Amino acid sequence: MADTTDIKNGVVLKIEGQLWTIIDFQHVKPGKGGAFVRTKMRNVMSGKVVDKTYNAGTKIETATVDRRDYQYLYQDGDDYVFMNLEDYDQITVPGETVGETAGYMLENQELTIAMHDGGPLYLELPASVVLEITYTEPGLQGDRSSAGTKPATLETGKEIQVPLFVEQNTKVKVDTRTGDYLGRVN
């Protein structure tokens, strides 16, 4: 058990059996009344974001989340196999846990996996990855007032929107948090 003075960004709290990570916090000392801590938290499993306020000195339960570097090896049915880069142990992560992250993972790519009680919670990719476009239609200039976009399929099978000038077999940088096109890579 900890109290509200231990609240910092990245701390994981256990509330009603669920894990919540602190995104943002603010200690507030109003002129009248007791101090309190205003927090913004994200549910580790669902990604839902909520605001919660705690009175100063309130006891809170923290959870130990271990983040380790892994290398993506291969897909085994619906599951994904990763290798720990420190001791070379392999773990299998279910497809539900990997989720949308699979659209940005290539074999031998390094990433971070957060573990709690021996089970994987979620995967953290780098902010951007470089992937090749395997298929896209040729871009046609038409009568529109702003630059247009077109769908393109990446080598992982994920589809993103790219500008009209991007062609097939082009390497592009993609934001892993939003799926946005960030630019071409030589």
Side-chain angles (χ1 to χ4, degrees):
M1 290 296 254
D3 66 13
T4 54
T5 58
D6 299 320
I7 291 179
K8 294 176 180 42
N9 289 347
V11 169
V12 178
L13 304 179
K14 193 171 192 176
I15 303 169
E16 298 172 8
Q18 294 189 331
L19 298 178
W20 297 81
T21 184
I22 302 290
I23 301 170
D24 191 31
F25 73 98
Q26 180 181 18
H27 289 279
V28 179
K29 174 70 175 107
K32 194 194 273 187
F36 59 91
V37 179
R38 189 177 291 136
T39 64
K40 183 179 282 191
M41 301 184 282
R42 177 184 294 118
N43 187 307
V44 170
M45 300 308 283
S46 69
K48 179 181 174 184
V49 176
V50 297
D51 294 325
K52 191 163 175 83
T53 303
Y54 293 99
N55 290 329
T58 302
K59 296 290 182 199
I60 53 175
E61 187 178 355
T62 59
T64 306
V65 174
D66 190 19
R67 291 178 174 90
R68 291 192 181 154
D69 291 333
Y70 284 84
Q71 183 179 45
Y72 171 54
L73 296 179
Y74 59 92
Q75 186 173 358
D76 182 21
D78 290 338
D79 300 334
Y80 296 81
V81 179
F82 298 89
M83 178 180 66
N84 187 325
L85 292 175
E86 293 170 14
D87 57 14
Y88 305 109
D89 281 346
Q90 291 184 10
I91 63 166
T92 302
V93 179
E96 303 88 52
T97 304
V98 174
E100 292 291 317
T101 308
Y104 306 107
M105 291 189 324
L106 288 175
E107 291 182 359
N108 301 323
Q109 181 174 2
E110 293 183 12
L111 50 97
T112 304
I113 299 179
M115 309 279 275
H116 176 67
D117 290 339
L121 291 174
Y122 59 90
L123 283 66
E124 294 176 356
L125 283 170
S128 64
V129 292
V130 175
L131 296 169
E132 187 174 322
I133 293 178
T134 56
Y135 177 78
T136 187
E137 296 286 334
L140 299 172
Q141 293 293 12
D143 45 6
R144 69 186 148 262
S145 60
S146 63
T149 61
K150 61 182 178 180
T153 305
L154 300 171
E155 58 188 305
T156 59
K158 177 105 174 142
E159 193 171 278
I160 64 167
Q161 292 293 318
V162 297
L164 293 172
F165 60 81
V166 176
E167 298 174 354
Q168 201 164 303
N169 300 325
T170 303
K171 287 195 179 285
V172 294
K173 189 180 240 186
V174 181
D175 187 324
T176 58
R177 297 163 296 199
T178 61
D180 292 342
Y181 163 86
L182 296 176
R184 291 184 290 187
V185 177
N186 293 335

